[in-house]
Amino acid sequence: MKFSRKYDKIRTMNKDIVCIGAGYIGGPTMAVIAQKNPSRKVYVVDINEKRIAAWNSDNLPIYEPGLKEVVEEVRNRNLFFTTDIEGCIKKCDIIFVGVNTPTKMFGRGAGRASDLQYWEATARNISKWAEGDKIVVEKSTLPVRTAAAMDAILNIHEKHRFTVLSNPEFLAEGTAIKDLQTPDRVLIGGPQTPEGEAAVKTVVDIYAGEGDKWVPREKILTTNVWSAELTKLAANAFLAQRVSSINAIAGLCEATGADVDEVARVIGADKRIGPKFLKAGPGFGGSCFKKDVLNLVYLCETFGLHTAAEYWSQVIKMNDHQQERIVSRLFKETFNTLANKKIAMFGFAFKADTGDTRETPAGYVARLLNEEHVNLVITDPKALENAKKDLAGLTGIEYVECPYEATKEADAILLMTDWKEYPQLDWAKLYASMRKPALVFDTRNCLDAKALKALGFKVLNIGK
Ligand code: NAD
Ligand code: UGA
């Protein structure tokens, strides 16, 4: 095969990698890429100096099981955290972009579209500072067809050739390291041109790992760029839709005497459906589900697909409704008055094993309870600092590390996050310290309701 000039250039590029954006995605992903590719230098850069300093310290900026061990193994061996964005763009030929793409809160598309200002600033920096041809890999979750805009900005000066790929990330928080080390699949979308195919192969090799010891090649799926961009939004929308579907069934279970965990177990035994993402609860949180479904809604509307937009909107509506339902039930079960009652909220993180509180259902519920003048005491093993920041400005909320301390004289415990430590607590001791009647609302169905009832608690569950 005769290679084009551009293809030859890609083959002779250096192997070093920079990721722009040292967040939940950039940090863990690059740590594992460095671990599995020891002869490549991997740089993670950010405009946030504090974050970079934290990555270089013993106190990493995010909590993920197993992350500290991987970072300690590779940091300053072949993984480097730095604020020298310009220098790294110059010296690395493979550039991952993992900056934040939150929901836009102003102007056109407010409340639905992605805010692409951080992403565009990055593209302009790459275009300004690059001194040779580069492969630019979208790691952030982006609206479908963003690569076309990226391509237009990057290639504005026609100085160097930039090949834009889409490599969305599917890791979940709390299991990030495990998901990265043994992913179900890796997705790489690229232009169907000789240089596009060569760039895709370069990134496939990174994920295969040195000596093909990382992701089995049959699990590295390649598509065109638009399919890759859209797949990420669709995958999150499908997962979010399953959570909303089971939560919609949960309400019906409460009304009819059915048990949502039993219903989910039997539905999930059907191989065509599968058992995962069928756990009823307080609704989904996290930085991405809501933002990505809203983005999908916006895209559908932009392309005139109004019925499809309405369909996906319902996933979000159902999720908000679930959190409102929690407060309504609590209200009803506390004699229709919550004012001045003390409620201990167990868990503020959007799921267990993370300190992340972005879009956490606990945040929305805390605000609703605050409107009812509840004396709210929040406890969480990892997310208390973020909780304080999220709820800054609200009065009447206490933040207490010890769950026993948080519960003293409380009227109710409202369990919002399924931390493993909560079922292990001494519930007799908690009961003894509470005002009676003592209520537990387990929105994750993770406690032993029968045992709690035997202790004297009134117990509420989701979908039971
Ligand atoms: P994050 O906010 O934790 O991190 C983004 C980082 O980018 C920040 O540290 C910010 O300072 C930095 N940044 C912004 N503009 C910059 C610039 N011009 N130059 C250098 N750095 C800049 O966000 P995140 O959770 O890591 O998410 C990043 C992207 O990955 C989003 O698009 C998100 O949808 C996607 N994603 C996230 C997850 C997850 O689990 N959090 C999973 C899959 C995909
Ligand atoms: C999710 C996806 O699972 C990842 O594949 C994706 O990469 C990521 O979003 C992203 O794009 O950011 P994450 O939000 O970290 O990952 O965590 P999940 O495990 O998906 O949980 C999301 C929310 O749904 C949590 O609040 C969780 O408690 C809730 N959930 C999940 C349920 O209520 N029931 C379930 O059965 C599963």
Side-chain angles (χ1 to χ4, degrees):
M1 181 177 172
K2 192 169 178 307
F3 298 123
S4 68
R5 184 192 73 88
K6 289 169 186 167
Y7 183 98
D8 273 337
K9 280 206 158 191
I10 282 173
R11 288 198 316 153
T12 55
M13 279 176 166
N14 72 41
K15 292 166 67 176
D16 295 346
I17 296 171
V18 56
C19 177
I20 303 176
Y24 280 84
I25 277 300
T29 310
M30 292 303 128
V32 175
I33 285 184
Q35 185 188 42
K36 304 291 182 185
N37 292 274
S39 74
R40 286 177 196 268
K41 286 201 176 108
V42 180
Y43 300 86
V44 187
V45 297
D46 206 292
I47 40 172
N48 184 335
E49 288 175 16
K50 265 195 185 159
R51 221 169 198 188
I52 291 297
W55 279 113
N56 280 319
S57 76
D58 284 341
N59 203 4
L60 300 185
I62 60 172
Y63 171 71
E64 271 298 327
L67 173 65
K68 202 162 191 280
E69 289 77 358
V70 179
V71 169
E72 280 170 0
E73 179 190 332
V74 292
R75 191 173 52 193
N76 300 329
R77 180 191 79 183
N78 65 325
L79 177 70
F80 307 92
F81 295 98
T82 165
T83 50
D84 181 14
I85 305 177
E86 180 177 345
C88 288
I89 288 174
K90 284 187 172 142
K91 70 182 160 207
C92 299
D93 287 344
I94 303 164
I95 303 176
F96 284 78
V97 180
V99 298
N100 38 330
T101 52
T103 302
K104 192 176 172 207
M105 297 315 285
F106 53 89
R108 190 171 291 212
R112 287 167 303 156
S114 279
D115 184 346
L116 296 175
Q117 59 176 307
Y118 309 101
W119 161 88
E120 181 172 340
T122 310
R124 287 186 185 275
N125 282 343
I126 299 172
S127 172
K128 186 163 76 186
W129 289 323
E131 288 178 341
D133 293 0
K134 309 278 177 188
I135 297 172
V136 178
V137 187
E138 299 173 342
K139 196 71 191 156
S140 304
T141 302
L142 294 159
V144 58
R145 296 209 66 90
T146 301
M150 179 73 114
D151 195 70
I153 294 171
L154 289 172
N155 289 306
I156 227 159
H157 303 303
E158 294 184 353
K159 268 193 316 198
H160 310 294
R161 182 69 210 160
F162 297 95
T163 309
V164 182
L165 308 183
S166 165
N167 166 225
E169 182 50 58
F170 296 108
L171 69 78
E173 288 180 28
T175 52
I177 296 300
K178 188 175 123 296
D179 295 344
L180 285 165
Q181 288 177 331
T182 52
D184 286 351
R185 79 300 205 194
V186 167
L187 170 58
I188 303 165
Q192 286 158 333
T193 58
E195 64 267 29
E197 281 160 17
V200 167
K201 186 182 172 308
T202 302
V203 178
V204 166
D205 288 344
I206 294 172
Y207 282 100
E210 267 165 48
D212 272 7
K213 286 187 187 145
W214 184 10
V215 184
R217 285 183 184 264
E218 65 277 11
K219 286 193 176 179
I220 305 176
L221 311 179
T222 58
T223 64
N224 76 35
V225 194
W226 320 127
S227 304
E229 288 179 333
L230 185 56
T231 298
K232 174 63 198 178
L233 294 179
N236 271 0
F238 270 59
L239 292 169
Q241 177 264 330
R242 277 176 74 108
V243 176
S244 279
S245 294
I246 198 67
N247 284 339
I249 297 296
L252 200 52
C253 289
E254 287 157 27
T256 57
D259 178 327
V260 75
D261 287 335
E262 290 182 350
V263 174
R265 178 161 57 90
V266 181
I267 296 176
D270 184 329
K271 282 203 186 87
R272 293 169 301 176
I273 298 173
K276 295 195 178 152
F277 270 76
L278 287 180
K279 183 80 188 145
F284 55 78
S287 62
C288 294
F289 276 1
K290 187 172 180 187
K291 139 177 112 59
D292 293 347
V293 175
L294 286 170
N295 193 209
L296 195 60
V297 168
Y298 183 68
L299 281 167
C300 290
E301 279 170 0
T302 305
F303 288 99
L305 302 164
H306 300 294
T307 307
E310 184 52 29
Y311 173 78
W312 290 112
S313 300
Q314 291 299 324
V315 171
I316 305 280
K317 271 193 199 155
M318 187 61 228
N319 201 54
D320 292 345
H321 175 63
Q322 188 72 347
Q323 287 140 43
E324 284 149 18
R325 243 165 46 76
I326 287 171
V327 176
S328 301
R329 282 184 76 200
L330 201 54
F331 192 74
K332 196 165 150 241
E333 295 295 336
T334 51
F335 318 112
N336 295 316
T337 170
L338 282 165
N340 296 319
K341 288 200 171 131
K342 179 170 169 180
I343 296 183
M345 181 178 271
F346 277 25
F348 196 81
F350 80 97
K351 62 187 278 196
D353 289 324
T354 175
D356 195 350
T357 59
R358 292 179 289 179
E359 298 293 340
T360 179
Y364 189 40
V365 168
R367 285 174 191 281
L368 293 176
L369 293 176
N370 190 258
E371 281 171 18
E372 292 292 339
H373 297 182
V374 163
N375 295 331
L376 190 64
V377 185
I378 300 174
T379 179
D380 188 291
K382 296 282 178 205
L384 225 43
E385 286 312 308
N386 279 338
K388 281 182 205 168
K389 281 185 214 146
D390 294 354
L391 302 177
L394 295 188
T395 51
I397 303 184
E398 279 180 75
Y399 304 88
V400 174
E401 252 170 56
C402 169
Y404 296 104
E405 196 59 41
T407 310
K408 271 187 195 151
E409 292 296 321
D411 296 277
I413 293 172
L414 176 60
L415 187 148
M416 294 297 298
T417 313
D418 46 345
W419 285 103
K420 281 189 283 300
E421 36 273 76
Y422 292 150
Q424 321 294 334
L425 293 172
D426 181 345
W427 284 86
K429 185 173 162 186
L430 291 170
Y431 181 75
S433 74
M434 291 173 71
R435 219 158 71 124
K436 308 295 178 311
L439 176 81
V440 176
F441 192 166
D442 175 9
T443 72
R444 296 283 183 170
N445 295 346
C446 66
L447 302 173
D448 182 345
K450 219 167 140 192
L452 292 179
K453 282 180 193 160
L455 288 173
F457 278 109
K458 182 172 177 64
V459 181
L460 293 184
N461 286 100
I462 291 283
K464 292 174 196 248

